[in-house]
Amino acid sequence: MAYDRNRISPGSENATSARQEARNRFVIVIGASAGGVEPLKQIVSDLPADLPAAVFVVLHVGQVSYLPAILARVATLKTSVAKNGAKFKTGNIYVAPPGFHLLLHGDHMMLRRGPRENLARPAIDPLFRSAALSYGASVIGVLLSGSLSDGTAGLRAIKAVGGLAIVQHPKDTLVPSMVESALRYVEV
């Protein structure tokens, strides 16, 4: 049951139940940048077809992205570009489109132009923070290869609400800066 503010008043028992149900969903958020495509392909190819979670991916890209098609070739899960306002389903992979931050709220996705974060749009931190806010301990955050520190603040938010933080081993990355930053500031 999704929270419907027209039917459920915020303080009602039904509202509490709807929020709890939303938190019981499993959400996997994955962020990557330079050198992250190959490990990302490996991860999605290993996910089972009956995965009881929705997967959301942000990769720092330019104005064009072929990532949904690349992942669709190796994944057993349906892979698509995230759509603003669309409800998401478990057993699906959603990829942030170029030029938009991907955010999660309730049972749907939001795309926002917003300012660049860590020099990127889409950026990893907005996805991770919104997932932590909406789903708490049901979130698994995964950070892969890349430069600078995008993903660190988002992983901290995920850990702060009891979620799980995972990073690629720095020795296995092409560009270790993002995961090294996360390892300095987040218990993974």
Side-chain angles (χ1 to χ4, degrees):
M1 173 179 178
Y3 177 72
D4 180 342
R5 49 183 110 175
N6 296 323
R7 283 192 359 224
I8 303 171
S9 62
S12 74
E13 185 178 316
N14 287 340
T16 303
S17 175
R19 282 192 299 272
Q20 185 60 41
E21 185 177 314
R23 289 187 178 272
N24 288 335
R25 296 185 184 130
F26 287 99
V27 172
I28 301 171
V29 290
I30 304 173
S33 189
V37 173
E38 288 306 314
L40 185 55
K41 285 171 48 181
Q42 183 64 52
I43 289 168
V44 302
S45 71
D46 289 341
L47 295 175
D50 61 348
L51 182 73
V55 180
F56 302 90
V57 177
V58 167
L59 176 72
H60 295 162
V61 294
Q63 294 183 2
V64 176
S65 175
Y66 300 103
L67 187 61
I70 291 168
L71 297 181
R73 284 196 292 270
V74 297
T76 58
L77 302 175
K78 181 180 179 197
T79 304
S80 59
V81 177
K83 302 271 191 258
N84 188 46
K87 289 186 176 193
F88 59 83
K89 300 176 187 174
T90 59
N92 284 261
I93 300 170
Y94 301 96
V95 179
F100 292 92
H101 295 303
L102 172 58
L103 307 173
L104 304 180
H105 181 72
D107 62 353
H108 66 278
M109 300 170 278
M110 298 185 308
L111 300 177
R112 298 294 183 257
R113 289 273 306 153
R116 292 179 184 276
E117 290 192 34
N118 299 293
L119 306 176
R121 187 184 335 115
I124 299 162
D125 282 330
L127 172 63
F128 284 17
R129 287 190 310 259
S130 68
L133 184 61
S134 287
Y135 299 102
S138 296
V139 177
I140 300 170
V142 180
L143 190 62
L144 304 175
S145 180
S147 61
L148 301 175
S149 63
D150 195 11
T152 298
L155 277 180
R156 285 181 64 151
I158 289 170
K159 287 296 291 186
V161 296
L164 181 64
I166 300 170
V167 300
Q168 184 179 6
H169 194 287
K171 290 182 180 177
D172 294 335
T173 64
L174 288 177
V175 182
S177 302
M178 284 192 337
V179 296
E180 288 173 344
S181 174
L183 288 169
R184 273 193 301 278
Y185 298 105
V186 182
E187 182 184 334
V188 298

